[in-house]
Amino acid sequence: MRIGIIGAGRVGSTLARRLAGIGHEVTIANSRGPETLKDLVSQINGPIRAVTAQEAARFGQLVVVAIPYGRINELPIAELRDKVVVDACNYFPERDGHDPDLDEDRTTSSEKLRALTGADLVKAFNAIHWQNLRDRGRPKGDPARLAIPLSGDDEEAKAVVAGLIRGLGFDPVDAGYLGRGGRRHQPDTTAFTAELSAAELDALVHAAV
Ligand SMILES: NC(=O)c1ccc[n+]([C@@H]2O[C@H](COP(=O)([O-])OP(=O)(O)OC[C@H]3O[C@@H](n4cnc5c(N)ncnc54)[C@H](OP(=O)(O)O)[C@@H]3O)[C@@H](O)[C@H]2O)c1
């Protein structure tokens, strides 16, 4: 699959390395320009190119956004419209600045990103620590295989993202719709960065309010 990744830090670069490693065609972008990603790209085995954020959004059949939530207004909005976008971002007010809508739980960071972009949003990869994403993928059936929660309103888009999660060696756990489900695996929930099997995580997210 053609995957554009916006954000080339711990999460974005880890996903790029792992996804290109299993043969996906990947483009990756940061805020400073593709020339600053030469070293990263040269260290990755597989089909990957450094591009601008606009190009990553245009290129991807699926686009991953892995940037600090406080910078979402810098995203290439027009290019993301109607795309399947995976939101790996989290809202941390001390890093991102306070957003009263989020502080008062009137909405969620993912719903805000969807409203901003008009994308078909799936929240995923936000609740796994980047080092686990890098190191803890395991074959299906391995008792040590970890689960990754995802949420979204479009079942087809969620199925595509669930397939990616499986391909990386994790079990997807559907937490539900973007609003209610996303609230089950955002920061300050027990599911956030939990290291659990699919059965354990499924019980946890569906026990949560
Ligand atoms: N760290 C984790 O374990 C973890 C796990 C799950 C989810 N998350 C969430 O995922 C997001 C990224 O986390 P991270 O730890 O990977 O952060 P990070 O290491 O600080 O990297 C952030 C990346 O975002 C890029 N960026 C910022 N603004 C951008 C823009 N407007 N356009 C394109 N790229 C932009 C930065 O590029 P420049 O350097 O060029 O500015 C940098 O490559 C955050 O929302 C975080 O909360 C983190």
Side-chain angles (χ1 to χ4, degrees):
M1 187 188 303
R2 289 196 316 276
I3 300 175
I5 300 179
I6 301 179
R10 287 163 290 190
V11 175
S13 68
T14 301
L15 277 173
R17 181 172 278 109
R18 299 259 5 250
L19 291 168
I22 55 173
H24 292 288
E25 281 181 76
V26 175
T27 56
I28 186 162
N30 63 6
S31 73
R32 287 166 295 139
E35 60 289 349
T36 64
L37 291 171
K38 272 188 194 151
D39 284 354
L40 172 72
V41 162
S42 70
Q43 291 159 12
I44 293 178
N45 292 322
I48 181 162
R49 281 186 298 126
V51 296
T52 65
Q54 278 83 359
E55 286 167 329
R58 239 179 266 135
F59 172 85
Q61 293 167 296
L62 176 145
V63 182
V64 179
V65 177
I67 69 172
Y69 171 77
R71 297 185 66 177
I72 60 169
N73 286 313
E74 299 167 22
L75 287 168
I77 304 302
E79 285 84 355
L80 292 174
R81 184 158 302 281
D82 297 329
K83 288 258 174 172
V84 175
V85 168
V86 176
D87 176 18
C89 308
N90 293 303
Y91 168 61
F92 289 113
E94 58 282 10
R95 179 194 65 192
D96 299 320
H98 278 276
D99 178 332
D101 286 340
L102 300 182
D103 291 342
E104 287 160 34
D105 196 30
R106 287 195 286 266
T107 184
T108 61
S109 60
S110 295
E111 289 170 295
K112 282 218 151 185
L113 183 58
R114 177 172 62 186
L116 177 73
T117 56
D120 195 352
L121 214 79
V122 178
K123 186 180 188 78
F125 299 118
N126 75 300
I128 179 166
H129 192 273
W130 70 275
Q131 287 172 326
N132 286 340
L133 198 52
R134 183 188 62 187
D135 301 334
R136 307 263 314 255
R138 296 285 185 276
K140 187 162 177 50
D142 188 315
R145 183 154 145 135
L146 298 178
I148 290 183
L150 74 162
S151 51
D153 293 347
D154 182 325
E155 295 303 323
E156 251 177 70
K158 270 201 288 199
V160 171
V161 178
L164 275 191
I165 291 172
R166 286 189 197 95
L168 292 173
F170 300 89
D171 285 320
V173 166
D174 188 348
Y177 293 119
L178 193 65
R180 183 132 189 248
R183 282 183 173 87
R184 293 169 167 156
H185 58 101
Q186 60 188 14
D188 298 328
T189 61
T190 44
F192 188 71
T193 68
E195 298 176 3
L196 298 173
S197 70
E200 290 165 337
L201 184 64
D202 192 74
L204 187 64
V205 294
H206 291 107
V209 265

